[in-house]
Amino acid sequence: MEVLETEIYLRYKQIIESQGFVVPAAGESPAPRRVRMEDLLDRYDAFCFDGYGTLYNRGSFVYEGALDWYTMLRAAGKEMRLITNAASDVDSVLAADAGKRGFAFSEAETISSGSLLKDLCAELRCCGKMVREVYYIGRETGKHVLESCGIKAVAPAAEPVEPIVAISSAKDTPETYAQAVKILKRPGAILLVLNSDAWAPKIPDNDGVTVREPVSGALSERLRRDSMCSANGGAGCETFYLGKPFPAIWEKVKRSLPEDSRVLMVGDTLGTDVLGARLAGFDSALVVGRNVPADELDSDEVVLGVRPDWYL
């Protein structure tokens, strides 16, 4: 992992533990066995999948074998869920986009980080925050998530009435970044991280080489650090994270599944998919070589203190 990436995921783990949740230690168990999806078919009742980097990527790109997994599990009558940190639109649209790629998840089977914003806003409003306007950095379609919660994104050169910045992707410019920092240095400022992913894999090139890039979680961490100033005692803005690996999304997943289901989370990222699955009490399978390069896998597991149950 990149240095900043490591720091971000360790911070996530510390935040979760500071809230009283326990992330089971990886221990010194033997290295996970490399398996095929069919080897896991009879072990689990429900299969949860990350989207980008696991099943598909931008545009119409679908990873080799992913549709075979989907078809096999549907044919076997397994419960399936799409658990994504994408906050680029509301769940109905995210489900439809997955369907265009061949993964026919229903809206009810789709649980995104953005879908958690409504509950967070309700909590903030109970604490006296109106959360009616935000300064927003992300894809234009991400504004649909804000609108579903009664929130307006102000113009790029404007400031919201309350000092609140929302991030859903790394679509900043030098001007929008500077404006976001200015807002976050105001007393009582809040940073809403709608997509907690720190790094993500791009579509492999013609030689099959995968390049990774910093995304919204990395942008949000830079903003958080740059917001530290005398106005907030050097502590920086108050930051709220949505999605994996944080507890709220896993509670929503559990409520959507039959009680006592044996659940497997399949993803490409140690710091969100695997760490979050351990927090939820789910087993996990890591797709190696996407967001975790194979030659960095052992060291990344050690530094984060997490390890999947299986490698795919």
Side-chain angles (χ1 to χ4, degrees):
M1 289 184 291
E2 301 293 328
V3 173
L4 179 60
E5 182 182 11
T6 301
E7 293 172 351
I8 290 169
Y9 289 137
L10 286 175
R11 173 176 165 77
Y12 289 176
K13 191 175 180 182
Q14 291 169 353
I15 290 171
I16 291 168
E17 292 172 341
S18 72
Q19 295 172 343
F21 296 95
V22 177
V23 179
E28 298 181 359
S29 57
R33 187 160 59 92
R34 293 184 181 272
V35 296
R36 301 170 302 170
M37 186 63 72
E38 48 265 44
D39 298 327
L40 304 175
L41 189 63
D42 294 331
R43 289 178 175 266
Y44 301 100
D45 309 304
F47 290 75
C48 298
F49 285 91
D50 171 52
Y52 289 97
T54 299
L55 297 178
Y56 47 77
N57 210 301
R58 296 295 175 192
S60 59
F61 182 86
V62 173
Y63 286 101
E64 184 179 355
L67 283 171
D68 294 335
W69 295 346
Y70 175 86
T71 302
M72 177 179 62
L73 295 172
R74 283 293 191 208
K78 299 295 183 179
E79 290 280 348
M80 296 180 70
R81 298 292 183 272
L82 177 64
I83 314 299
T84 175
N85 275 357
S88 55
D89 217 315
V90 295
D91 283 2
S92 59
V93 175
L94 295 177
D97 286 346
K100 293 174 184 175
R101 300 177 173 99
F103 303 97
F105 290 101
S106 68
E107 181 179 354
E109 292 174 323
T110 303
I111 300 175
S112 73
S113 57
S115 70
L116 306 171
L117 180 60
K118 189 169 293 185
D119 288 342
L120 175 59
C121 287
E123 293 177 17
L124 291 172
R125 287 164 183 160
C126 285
C127 297
K129 300 288 187 181
M130 295 301 294
V131 200
R132 299 300 182 195
E133 294 182 341
V134 300
Y135 190 80
Y136 172 71
I137 297 177
R139 296 180 182 277
E140 189 68 20
T141 53
K143 292 180 181 178
H144 298 156
V145 176
L146 302 176
E147 292 163 1
S148 71
C149 301
I151 301 172
K152 174 187 176 182
V154 301
E159 292 191 32
V161 173
E162 295 176 304
I164 303 175
V165 174
I167 306 296
S168 72
S169 70
K171 292 293 178 183
D172 61 308
T173 65
E175 293 76 19
T176 58
Y177 187 88
Q179 182 73 342
V181 171
K182 178 184 176 184
I183 294 166
L184 292 173
K185 285 185 174 181
R186 287 167 52 187
I190 289 175
L191 176 59
L192 303 177
V193 185
L194 308 186
N195 180 341
S196 297
D197 288 348
W199 253 255
K202 299 175 75 171
I203 295 174
D205 63 21
N206 293 333
D207 295 321
V209 177
T210 297
V211 175
R212 303 185 320 120
E213 61 182 348
V215 288
S216 55
L219 170 61
S220 299
E221 179 62 10
R222 288 170 46 225
L223 286 169
R224 185 189 72 85
R225 295 182 183 188
D226 286 347
S227 75
M228 296 177 180
C229 63
S230 57
N232 52 45
C237 57
E238 188 173 10
T239 308
F240 295 90
Y241 299 94
L242 296 179
K244 302 171 290 185
F246 297 96
I249 197 166
W250 303 110
E251 291 306 314
K252 188 170 184 178
V253 172
K254 289 177 182 179
R255 291 194 298 269
S256 79
L257 291 170
E259 192 173 355
D260 298 325
S261 294
R262 300 170 298 168
V263 185
L264 180 72
M265 175 67 205
V266 181
D268 68 321
T269 306
L270 285 170
T272 56
D273 302 314
V274 175
L275 174 59
R278 292 191 67 80
L279 175 66
F282 299 162
D283 283 1
S284 62
L286 180 71
V287 183
V288 180
R290 306 267 177 84
N291 211 14
V292 183
D295 59 353
E296 299 178 15
L297 179 57
D298 289 344
S299 60
D300 288 352
E301 288 179 347
V302 170
V303 73
L304 290 184
V306 295
R307 171 174 271 179
D309 297 276
W310 312 97
Y311 294 138
L312 285 171

